[in-house]
Amino acid sequence: MRAACRSGLAMVLMVVLLWVSTAPAHAAVRIASWNLKHLGWNHDKDLEAVAQVIQRFDFVALQEVMKPAAAKALATRVSQRSGEPWGVVVSHTLGDNHYKESYAFLWRKSAVTNDGGTTVYLDPGNHFAREPLSSQFTVTVDGK
């Protein structure tokens, strides 16, 4: 029994080592999450300063986007400032009658690819004040 156990353990170890040794190399990406506190409600945000910070990352999740157009404008500003194209997806406004906001993802297109599947979590029981946004992304290795 012990020999079979050792043999099975050796097989598992060999499979794990084989998987690790053949796994593709992944590029490092810099990820951030930022609550921009009422982006789009007021005009006192220095979008140039916000874009300066965001361009240091490859992928950024944003909260408290009050107007989806504001996230799109921010992605345009980051693209202009960084000299690279940036992608953006924004949810519709979420929440109850008293408070609604959107969520957004911004990403450097040379580092990250949006594979789609962007959706807001379905909450038929209304358990969440604002349902989360999800999407599938892939890290781009060597621009591919």
Side-chain angles (χ1 to χ4, degrees):
M1 182 69 168
R2 281 190 168 173
C5 186
R6 274 192 228 133
S7 175
L9 182 58
M11 181 62 87
V12 169
L13 184 56
M14 187 171 71
V15 169
V16 168
L17 290 175
L18 180 63
W19 176 75
V20 170
S21 66
T22 60
H26 291 286
V29 293
R30 293 160 297 186
I31 299 172
S33 175
W34 196 351
N35 182 324
L36 284 174
K37 191 177 182 187
H38 304 147
L39 178 66
W41 261 5
N42 50 38
H43 300 286
D44 63 349
K45 294 245 184 292
D46 183 349
L47 288 186
E48 189 62 28
V50 173
Q52 181 180 359
V53 172
I54 288 177
Q55 75 175 6
R56 296 177 186 172
F57 299 93
D58 299 307
F59 181 88
V60 181
L62 301 176
Q63 299 84 42
E64 281 201 62
V65 175
M66 308 320 284
K67 294 185 179 177
K72 294 174 184 176
L74 180 57
T76 298
R77 181 78 56 106
V78 175
S79 293
Q80 291 168 345
R81 180 165 179 76
S82 67
E84 295 183 68
W86 280 69
V88 60
V89 294
V90 187
S91 72
H92 60 281
T93 54
L94 304 161
D96 59 23
N97 293 334
H98 298 79
Y99 184 84
K100 293 186 180 202
E101 68 180 83
S102 296
Y103 301 115
F105 298 124
L106 276 67
W107 65 93
R108 183 185 315 270
K109 289 185 174 184
S110 64
V112 177
T113 303
N114 182 330
D115 298 329
T118 305
T119 187
V120 172
Y121 175 77
L122 299 177
D123 183 22
N126 200 26
H127 299 289
F128 293 94
R130 286 169 297 285
E131 297 82 358
L133 174 68
S134 66
S135 194
Q136 187 169 345
F137 295 87
T138 302
V139 174
T140 305
V141 179
D142 298 327
K144 300 174 187 167

